[in-house]
Amino acid sequence: MTDHSQAKSGVSTVGLTDNSTGMSYLDNAPRRFLTVILPLLVFVFVLLFPFYWMAITAIKPNHQLTDYAHYSPLWVVGPTLDHIKYLLFETTYPHWLWNTLYVSFCATFISLVTSVFAAYAIERLRFHGSRWVGLGIFLAYLVPPSILFIPLALMVFKIGIYDTKLALILTYPTFLVPFSTWLLMGYFRSIPYELEECALVDGASRWQILTKILLPLSVPGLISAGIFSFTLSWNEFIYALTFIQSSENKTVPVGVLTELVRSDVYEWGSLMAGALIGSLPVVILYSFFVDYYVSSMTGAVKE
Amino acid sequence: MADIAAHRASPSPFRAWLSRVGQGRHLLGLLFLLPAAVFLLFFLTYPLGLGVWLGFTDTRIGREGVFIGLENYESLMGDSVFWLAVFNTLLYTIGASILKFALGLWLALLLNQNLPFKSFFRAIVLLPWVVPTVLSAIAFWWIFDAQFSVISWALIKLGLIDHNINFLGDTTNARASVIAANVWRGIPFVAISLLAGLQTIPQSLHEAATLDGATGWQRFRYITLPMLSPIIAVVMTFSVLFTFTDFQLIYVLTRGGPLNATHLMATLSFQRAIPGGQLGEGAAIAVAMIPFLLSAILFSYFGLQRRKWQQGGGD
């Protein structure tokens, strides 16, 4: 299991064949600084600046937010927690956080369970037409939510789950199942078939093979699919915007945009605090599982 | 394996049935596929068909529609806002994709060098892609503020301009701004995916070429690029599809304004269907995206490279 996960993540950490250090030693230091270090630092600065801006705005007192003449916008004098307190105690923000967590968790769970079965069926049982089903799953992944939200809104309304969390839990798997199935298919493919053949010869049923051999071996793949699905659900916007009406059922992205922006006065402090706190859970999850995350992202486009 | 054998020996009827089903892998395959298939048929295939049908009706919110043939499409044909949205979508997709590809490839090449803290850099570079688009777009909304933009402030301090830039209020600026925000979010995906491809190119090829006198550009042009092209095709197909159908960023930053200059097909479809109540017309606009998406998929499928990923892999 360990060397399997290494093989999977090995692609993203070291080169495939040789271990030579490359030819970077041929470059001298100043040239290397100009062509590599400097551009990289510029990239990192541009990519991270919006987060810094979010964070610094979230803790700025209101009078400093728009007073660039007396205070540098890049720094804060006497940081305050007022915006965050306002958000947590005077708005429905905690509700939105809970909703997002609940919806993402349920949708991820449903998707993972169905995807494991589907991927096993397509990849290992190889029934009639499994290749076509595989292609169908891939095409399903390419169907964008912005085409589906109008008919789905109509369906959600007719079924009678409009403005409930259930509407989101049932619709999010439309983009999670194809993705997770695709990822797990690739993962199952990398597990030696001989292991299953041995078990079959020893008289194990398919169910036993799946639960006692394949699933324990694919824990890294399951983690990848799981955290990626969770992040995708957490970030989803258009379904949540369309299917949810009442404030207490909204998710964080929708709530922040529709409830914290009132009339003409933008309260940038609380908006940025809302954006920051709403991003933290996925960022924390991401920081613990960087390698799984990268392997699931690249795994989806490789193969 | 002993406990597996023990399990099998237990003669419960359920087990017996299970093992019978287990023998026929076709039956079992369909059984295993059932949950996913039911889900996708009901919540993906059916709505897709329903969407196409809605495009031929005059359905509104709260009122069943009747079949009106191509009327929605005929009225869209003469609708200048629709054509502007098509133009904007193409401009947005092409502009953002080219920038994402160029900058993403550059960043991937930089990250592929031998650097201290390499994995750390790789981890933080991916952050823009991890955080929810809407939330980072709200940060951009504040960065692009007409009066208190930090970019304007910095440029004025540096003496490059003398008054605030009206980022989202002017048509050209607004288009450039939303493309910039989209590129910001898209670079990490392209870069990290291409980096994974770059790391599979053996260093020895570069060393051999250098010994033969190849310049840096020649090594890039004749080794890196050809070996990377399959993965470039896949990554850019995904990138184009996601950019073309983008909704969130525009909805946060401009809602299609000013003067519809940043309305994409997805945002126009939403605006007509949900706040406007014209579900039929909105669906027609959404359906009008399908030919573009199909041609992008077919282009990458036939034009670029036939590869395993497109057919379920395996053999």
Side-chain angles (χ1 to χ4, degrees), chain A residues 11-12 15-18 20-24 32 35-37 39-40 43-44 46-51 53-54 57 65-66 68 72-74 110 114 117-118 120-122 125-128 131 133 135 137-138 140-144 146-152 154-155 158 170 173-174 177-178 182 185 189 202-204 206 208 210 212 228 231 234-235 237-238 241-242 253 256-257 261 266 268 271-272 275 278-279 282-283 286 290-291 293-294 297-298 301-303, chain B residues 1 3-4 7-8 18 22 25-26 28-30 32-33 35-36 39-40 42-44 46-48 50-51 54 64 103 106-107 110-111 113-115 121-132 134-136 138-143 145 148-150 153 184 189 192-193 196 199-200 202-204 206-207 210 219 231 234-235 238 241-242 245 247-248 251-252 255 266 269-270 273-274 279 282-283 286 289-290 293 297 307-315:
Chain A
V11 180
S12 51
L16 267 191
T17 46
D18 56 314
S20 80
T21 51
M23 295 174 294
S24 52
R32 196 168 149 74
T35 57
V36 180
I37 309 287
L40 191 62
F43 265 114
V44 168
V46 172
L47 291 177
L48 295 189
F49 180 75
F51 298 114
W53 192 232
M54 231 189 241
T57 309
L65 274 176
T66 51
Y68 289 180
S72 163
L74 296 178
I110 294 176
T114 49
F117 284 119
Y120 182 74
I122 295 168
L125 293 174
R126 295 236 154 248
F127 56 91
H128 286 301
R131 283 181 57 124
V133 176
L135 180 64
I137 292 276
F138 180 71
Y141 179 45
L142 296 179
V143 176
S146 35
I147 289 182
L148 291 179
F149 74 94
I150 295 174
L152 274 178
L154 209 60
M155 285 172 65
K158 286 218 172 118
L170 287 179
T174 54
V177 168
W182 192 253
M185 276 166 66
R189 205 178 303 142
D202 285 348
R206 289 282 181 179
Q208 286 170 325
L210 182 64
K212 297 204 169 143
F228 211 84
T231 316
W234 191 280
N235 297 1
F237 180 65
I238 191 167
L241 178 71
T242 314
V256 169
L257 191 66
V261 180
Y266 299 135
W268 288 113
L271 264 177
M272 290 300 117
S279 307
V282 278
V283 170
Y286 164 74
V290 179
D291 283 329
Y293 203 92
V294 170
M297 198 175 85
T298 53
V301 295
K302 260 199 165 73
E303 292 305 332
Chain B
M1 289 302 142
D3 63 323
I4 293 180
H7 267 291
R8 207 180 147 78
L18 205 66
R25 67 194 166 94
H26 298 298
L28 189 71
L30 291 179
F32 272 17
L33 201 61
F39 220 103
L40 291 182
F42 191 70
F43 283 110
L44 199 128
Y46 173 70
L48 200 60
L50 183 64
L54 282 177
E64 293 283 323
L103 294 171
W106 189 15
L107 181 57
L110 291 175
L111 288 173
Q113 305 276 336
N114 265 311
L115 291 169
F121 275 121
R122 200 188 60 191
I124 57 170
V125 152
L126 203 52
L127 273 181
W129 205 69
V130 174
V131 301
V134 171
L135 302 182
S136 62
I138 291 176
F140 269 97
W141 194 23
W142 175 216
I143 289 175
D145 190 85
F148 302 109
S149 164
V150 67
W153 174 84
W184 176 83
F189 170 71
I192 299 297
S193 304
Q199 281 164 338
T200 62
Q203 276 293 334
S204 48
H206 284 284
E207 289 166 358
T210 313
R219 278 187 285 132
I231 201 164
V234 184
V235 170
F238 275 96
L241 291 183
F242 292 143
T245 57
F247 171 83
Q248 317 188 2
Y251 189 79
V252 176
R255 304 239 168 146
S269 157
F270 178 85
I274 306 299
L279 288 176
M289 289 198 273
I290 295 177
L293 297 177
I297 295 170
R307 276 171 57 86
K308 281 192 285 182
W309 63 272
Q310 289 140 326
Q311 307 154 9
D315 29 0

Side-chain angles (χ1 to χ4, degrees), chain A residues 182-254:
Chain A
W182 192 253
L183 197 75
L184 288 172
M185 276 166 66
Y187 210 86
F188 288 167
R189 205 178 303 142
S190 68
I191 294 172
Y193 196 56
E194 288 75 14
L195 284 173
E196 281 185 49
E197 284 175 337
C198 286
L200 271 178
V201 169
D202 285 348
S205 70
R206 289 282 181 179
W207 176 255
Q208 286 170 325
I209 291 175
L210 182 64
T211 53
K212 297 204 169 143
I213 296 176
L214 208 63
L215 284 185
L217 281 175
S218 19
V219 167
L222 291 174
I223 294 178
S224 290
I227 60 163
F228 211 84
S229 299
F230 186 84
T231 316
L232 284 180
S233 318
W234 191 280
N235 297 1
E236 207 286 329
F237 180 65
I238 191 167
Y239 290 164
L241 178 71
T242 314
F243 304 157
I244 301 293
Q245 179 99 58
S246 53
S247 175
E248 63 268 25
N249 281 334
K250 283 180 176 167
T251 62
V252 170
V254 178

Side-chain angles (χ1 to χ4, degrees), chain B residues 72-109:
Chain B
N72 281 328
Y73 295 95
E74 278 162 14
S75 77
L76 284 179
M77 280 292 160
D79 184 345
S80 62
V81 176
F82 171 73
W83 287 112
L84 186 63
V86 173
F87 169 77
N88 290 335
T89 312
L90 290 173
L91 180 78
Y92 181 74
T93 309
I94 295 170
S97 297
I98 290 175
L99 284 173
K100 271 189 268 195
F101 171 64
L103 294 171
L105 181 60
W106 189 15
L107 181 57
L109 289 169

